[in-house]
Each structure stands twice: as structure tokens, then as C-alpha cells.
Amino acid sequence: MTRSGPRVGPLAGRASAAPPLDVDALLDDTTTGIIVCCGSGGVGKTTTSAALALRAAERGRKVVVLTIDPARRLAQSMGIEELDNTPRPVTGLAEGATGSLDAMMLDMKRTFDEVVESQASPEKARQILENPFYVALSSSFAGTQEYMAMEKLGQIHADAQRDGTYDLIVVDTPPSRSALDFLDAPERLSSFLDGRFIRLMLAPAKGPARLMTAGLGIVTNALTKILGAQVLRDLQTFVSAIDTVFGGFRQRAQRTYALLQAEGTAFLVVAAPEPDALREAAYFVERLSGDRMPLAGLVVNRASPAPASDLSADEAMSAAARLRAGRTEDDLTAGLLRLHADQVRLVEREAGLRARFAAAHPGVATAVVPALAGDVHDLGGLRRVGELLAEGQVH
């Protein structure tokens, strides 16, 4: 059986070198207004986003970073005890920095509430906000977080265009298991909210719809028995609210898609140097290409640092074996040699994975960021990550 396309990521059949990603050129380009950091969960997207935002601000840009799920230490590293849905200024930028940095964390439910409050009268908004089905949808429905990340991006961009508050928005995408959820989930949610079932529930009993009244009544009676009259009334109130207040969800999602596709937006795919993470990155790169979204490059985060010595893994293992065979007392040296060999092989393995990714996607510029010894817990740590991003030459 033949494959329809090339092998991707760690399965690529040959090695290749990727072009280097010039992070500073990306940040300094004033035509770049949005940078979206995306990738699967647990690869360091939030730290990467914050580090990019800080570096851009210290290089003269007016920046806001929208984080999704920052660790407490990361919020503290930006000098803000509690991030929320309102941009808050980050103090402590490097001396002489001419830019500015605000930070905020997406509050999924609050963003949804803001949509309600902007589209309904105070009384109508109160009824919707207290509806149990709305509470469930806005708090935990699959795809809501991804949709609201896009909603908030659209709001920030519109405000910045109107008021001139920011010239760069850095977006940290939700921590989904799959990187593709960021692009797929908003469409799924908007399809549900604009779907045929909702329209059928709201269809007036006239014209062709009159023929369906009896059948719909049977369904309603069955639902009443299963759910109870109050639950069904809550559902009907919720469906009515969707029609009167939330009409056009798909159009809103499409407008944000157009913004993501526009000149001035740049996607950075973040991955760990592991087969699964690079495979997710490969899928995302192909999806961005298929959706005509501008890809700036790949960031391979938390790469294993190469040992300072040029001693190869085989040489280190041979030396350790000789020490062991000679029954010397130098067990510590033998152990250190074995650790060195393990580290060299790990670095070689990661380099091989990156080379195979590059073979499948030869045009994707790449930066490699070595793992730090500890957690990032202050602006100095974020600044160091930004420096490593800028220095992240591919070897």
C-alpha cells in the first residue's frame, strides 16, 4: 500500500536541516500584529508566549499577552498576583525599554457573559446568565474555551485598532490534548449553536412547519417525562435566548478565522523534543497550510542541553567499562561517564527527531530552546527564555 503523502515528524524517512527561526525579526516587524503560540498541551506554550511578549515589549512594542492557563508562578513572574479578564500592566521591564507590556488570563465564563451583556437588555441578560443550561455551556461545554479564546482575541484586536492601545497581541492557546482543538472546537460549538436542532425547536408553527407540530409535540411530551417540566422549560428558555441573543455564532467564528488568516498574524507552533509532540506539531503545520494561515515557524522547547565535552557516547561507555573491569576504586568516575553517555545519546536522539521533522517540512524555520535548570518564577527567568528563543539556532 502506498501513502498519499510524505511521512511526517518523527516518522520521516530521511534527515534534513531546518532553516533558523529569527525571533527578533518577527518581534521587530511592525506589520506583525498578532502572534499565536499553539501546540499540544504541556509543551511550554504559556511560558513561550510570556517570554515573547516580554522581549517584544523591551524591544519597543506595545504588547498585551493573553494567557489561558498560567501556573501561579508564571503570573507571579510577571509581577501580577491574580491575572483575570482585564489587561493589567506588567512592571519591572528592563531599564531603557521603550515599549509596554500588559498581561491577562482568559476567563472563559466571564468572556461568555460579556457577549450576553453586550447583546441583551439588562433584564434579558439576567435571565440568560441565571439559566442552568447557559451556566453549563459557558463553564464546561466542549469547545467553549477555544471559542472564547478566539472571541477575546477579536475583542482585544478591535479595541486596539480603535484606541491604539497595543500594536502586538501574543496569544497562548488553550491547553488541549490535541493542538488541532484550537482550530476545530470553535467550529463545532458554533455549528451546534447555529444548528438545525436549535432552528427546529424555534420554528414557528406556520407554513411547512405546521406539518411537524404533531411530531414535535410527541418529542416534547417524551422529553417532559424524561427531564421534567422545569428542566424542559429551562431548555426552551435557553434555546430562545440563543436565537435572540447569540444568533450568528458561526459568523463570529468566521470573522476571527479571517483575522487569523490575515497578513499581520503569525503562528508559532511549540513542541517538545518528543515523538508524540512533534507528530502533533506536524499535523498542526499541515492544517495551518491547508487553512492558509501564516506559519512563522516551530519552537522546540525544553531541549536537552549538549554536554560541554566532545567525548562521544561510545567512548564514554568504553572508558567506564575499562574502569569497572580494572576493579579500581573510581566508581564515581565510571558513573559520571555513563551519565555523560546517556546525555549524549539523548541529545543525538532529539536532534534526529528534529532532522526528520525538517525533512518532512523543509520550509519550517525552527528555534531550539534548551531546558532550564529550574522553573521560571520571575521576569529574569522570562527574559532568559526570550534570549534563548532569539539565540535558538538549529544544530
Side-chain angles (χ1 to χ4, degrees):
M1 183 177 68
T2 59
R3 290 180 175 268
S4 58
R7 287 177 177 263
V8 297
L11 300 180
R14 66 191 189 284
S16 179
L21 172 63
D22 191 337
V23 169
D24 284 346
L26 175 67
L27 298 179
D28 294 344
D29 186 354
T30 56
T31 64
T32 301
I34 298 173
I35 296 176
V36 181
C37 294
C38 52
S40 56
V43 296
K45 294 193 303 292
T46 303
T47 300
T48 299
S49 301
L52 287 168
L54 175 62
R55 188 167 182 84
E58 293 186 337
R59 295 176 69 86
R61 304 294 299 272
K62 295 187 293 184
V63 189
V64 59
V65 55
L66 170 60
T67 64
I68 304 300
D69 188 25
R72 186 168 194 71
R73 286 187 179 181
L74 184 58
Q76 292 172 343
S77 74
M78 291 185 284
I80 301 172
E81 287 297 323
E82 296 293 338
L83 290 178
D84 58 21
N85 225 32
T86 302
R88 300 186 182 279
V90 176
T91 59
L93 269 61
E95 185 177 353
T98 57
S100 63
L101 175 60
D102 287 358
M104 61 185 298
M105 181 181 73
L106 176 71
D107 184 330
M108 177 177 67
K109 187 176 187 310
R110 183 61 211 149
T111 301
F112 215 146
D113 292 350
E114 289 172 356
V115 175
V116 175
E117 292 164 349
S118 68
Q119 300 292 324
S121 66
E123 178 62 23
K124 185 70 172 177
R126 184 186 63 79
Q127 294 175 357
I128 296 169
L129 296 178
E130 294 175 355
N131 185 278
F133 283 92
Y134 169 79
V135 172
L137 176 71
S138 61
S139 302
S140 58
F141 192 83
T144 302
Q145 188 176 53
E146 286 81 1
Y147 183 92
M148 288 305 147
M150 286 192 170
E151 179 73 34
K152 179 56 67 175
L153 170 59
Q155 290 177 10
I156 296 171
H157 182 262
D159 292 345
Q161 292 290 99
R162 184 186 66 243
D163 303 328
T165 48
Y166 308 113
D167 58 31
L168 178 62
I169 304 168
V170 181
V171 183
D172 164 35
T173 57
S176 306
R177 183 195 64 80
S178 169
L180 294 178
D181 286 348
F182 175 65
L183 296 180
D184 290 335
E187 176 65 18
R188 291 198 300 268
L189 178 62
S190 61
S191 295
F192 166 73
L193 294 174
D194 285 342
R196 291 183 178 179
F197 173 73
I198 299 297
R199 299 303 168 195
L200 177 62
M201 295 273 298
L202 293 166
K206 61 183 180 180
R210 189 183 295 274
L211 300 176
M212 302 179 63
T213 302
L216 192 58
I218 294 172
V219 173
T220 301
N221 290 336
L223 287 173
T224 302
K225 292 178 181 178
I226 296 171
L227 302 175
Q230 182 60 48
V231 174
L232 186 60
R233 281 196 294 273
D234 288 340
L235 175 60
Q236 290 170 333
T237 300
F238 171 66
V239 170
S240 177
I242 288 176
D243 186 61
T244 58
V245 177
F246 300 135
F249 264 79
R250 184 170 304 196
Q251 287 74 19
R252 296 171 79 93
Q254 287 172 344
R255 283 199 299 270
T256 306
Y257 256 69
L259 178 62
L260 294 176
Q261 292 172 324
E263 185 177 350
T265 297
F267 280 83
L268 284 176
V269 178
V270 184
E274 297 294 337
D276 288 346
L278 285 170
R279 187 175 291 110
E280 284 280 335
Y283 294 151
F284 205 91
V285 165
E286 292 166 4
R287 174 65 182 274
L288 290 174
S289 176
D291 286 1
R292 301 187 307 282
M293 291 187 177
L295 173 65
L298 170 74
V299 174
V300 180
N301 209 9
R302 301 171 184 163
S304 299
S309 171
D310 293 332
L311 191 66
S312 72
D314 289 342
E315 289 170 338
M317 289 302 293
S318 296
R322 286 196 298 271
L323 286 173
R324 208 166 48 227
R327 302 182 185 279
T328 70
E329 300 298 324
D330 210 352
D331 290 339
L332 177 59
T333 302
L336 291 174
L337 285 166
R338 287 194 294 271
L339 287 175
H340 174 87
D342 290 342
Q343 185 69 12
V344 169
R345 286 170 178 161
L346 181 59
V347 170
E348 290 173 348
R349 170 181 172 273
E350 293 177 2
L353 291 173
R354 296 197 306 270
R356 292 181 180 182
F357 182 97
H361 304 90
V364 178
T366 302
V368 180
V369 180
L372 298 179
D375 291 336
V376 175
H377 60 273
D378 57 16
L379 285 182
L382 284 177
R383 192 171 291 116
R384 179 57 182 154
V385 173
E387 292 169 354
L388 292 171
L389 279 163
E391 297 167 1
Q393 302 301 307
V394 181
H395 301 290

